Amino acid sequence: MITVYTEKHKLRDSKTELFGGELIHPHERPSRAEYIIDRVREVNLGEVRAPEDFGMEPILRTHDAGFVGFLETAWDDWAAEGYKGEAIATCWPARRMVHRVPNHVDGKLGYYAMAAETSISPGTWEAALATAQVALTGAELLRSGAGAAFALCRPPGHHAAFDMFGGYCFMNNASIAAQYLRDHNAARVAIVDVDFHHGNGTQDIFYERDDVVFVSLHGHPADAFPHFLGYADETGTGNGIGHNYNYPMKPGTAFAEWRRALLDGLAKVQTHSPDAIVVSLGVDTFENDPISFFKLKTDDYRTFGADIARLGVPTLFVMEGGYDVSEIGINTVNVLQGFEGD
């Protein structure tokens, strides 16, 4: 399996995360990707390839142009105001407020942010743009005939909506890849999100569409971030009715229950006969992950990788979350090896 990877992810090296009422060193850090690429090379998973440059057009097929423009200039605009810390949203267009884009960067941050934990720092835009190209390169591999590929994306993407960032995510890599596949002769694509957190951004992007099926297994929004999306009764609107499947699960969920949900979701995917599958691959379902509450063990990742493979559909794995850095490489590669039958 080819892995697509860029060292440019290191440009996203924020020093600030708002967590538990404190400003801490972020859970989402460059070492995450380094642990994974080291494991890819250690087990000889396959070729490691740098991304191609697909430009901005495929990104703008998925994201609002104003939002993308904001991300591109946010740090420079913030620094130009003379602020000393990293850029964090402090106000939002909440209920009964007007939804108009402000001129000032502080207002723009709130307009485009879905949460306050994710700061914007020097290099954020460059890293986000580079990792979108990683996802697009993985999608092109599938379009060109590969049975599987691994896009080692960082920063992650599945919380980024059409016009919002947050949850450590700036552009929705899995959605960008899925749209690229649709634009290049895949009649239908399925996105299977196995990250601990609900892929609210991915749901937002495709919720009214019937050409991209979305399945998400995640911590119940009553108990887990992002809290305000991911309930089981969210099944799509308009043409998208019946194409969105959420599997929220309670604290302490172990692999047997989690896998039952996965197999049901994969069965739903199979009924839609997709030409390609994009897996939002988060391994923060691990029992020792610091910001989740599922109880999957290391060997479980190999098992569910094999479950996905049994669909027999070209599959792109796009890296999302996973924050227990001492195990993230092993757990991630176990999924890929399980998929390949190793």
Side-chain angles (χ1 to χ4, degrees), residues 125-149:
W125 163 250
E126 292 80 2
L129 180 60
T131 207
Q133 304 301 331
V134 168
L136 285 163
T137 303
E140 173 61 19
L141 286 169
L142 258 62
R143 191 200 68 81
S144 300

Side-chain angles (χ1 to χ4, degrees), residues 91-93 98-102 106-113 163-164:
C91 61
W92 288 266
V98 297
H99 289 245
R100 299 176 185 171
V101 185
D106 194 38
K108 286 182 178 179
L109 276 164
Y111 183 84
Y112 289 117
D163 58 357
M164 290 185 290

Side-chain angles (χ1 to χ4, degrees), residues 108-185:
K108 286 182 178 179
L109 276 164
Y111 183 84
Y112 289 117
M114 60 161 281
E117 80 297 293
T118 302
S119 65
I120 292 179
S121 55
T124 295
W125 163 250
E126 292 80 2
L129 180 60
T131 207
Q133 304 301 331
V134 168
L136 285 163
T137 303
E140 173 61 19
L141 286 169
L142 258 62
R143 191 200 68 81
S144 300
F150 175 39
L152 207 180
C153 291
R154 184 192 165 267
H158 72 151
H159 293 308
F162 170 70
D163 58 357
M164 290 185 290
F165 75 95
Y168 314 141
C169 303
F170 300 95
M171 291 191 285
N172 195 310
N173 308 307
S175 295
I176 291 168
Q179 184 62 53
Y180 182 88
L181 291 165
R182 278 288 296 112
D183 289 339
H184 292 81
N185 301 321

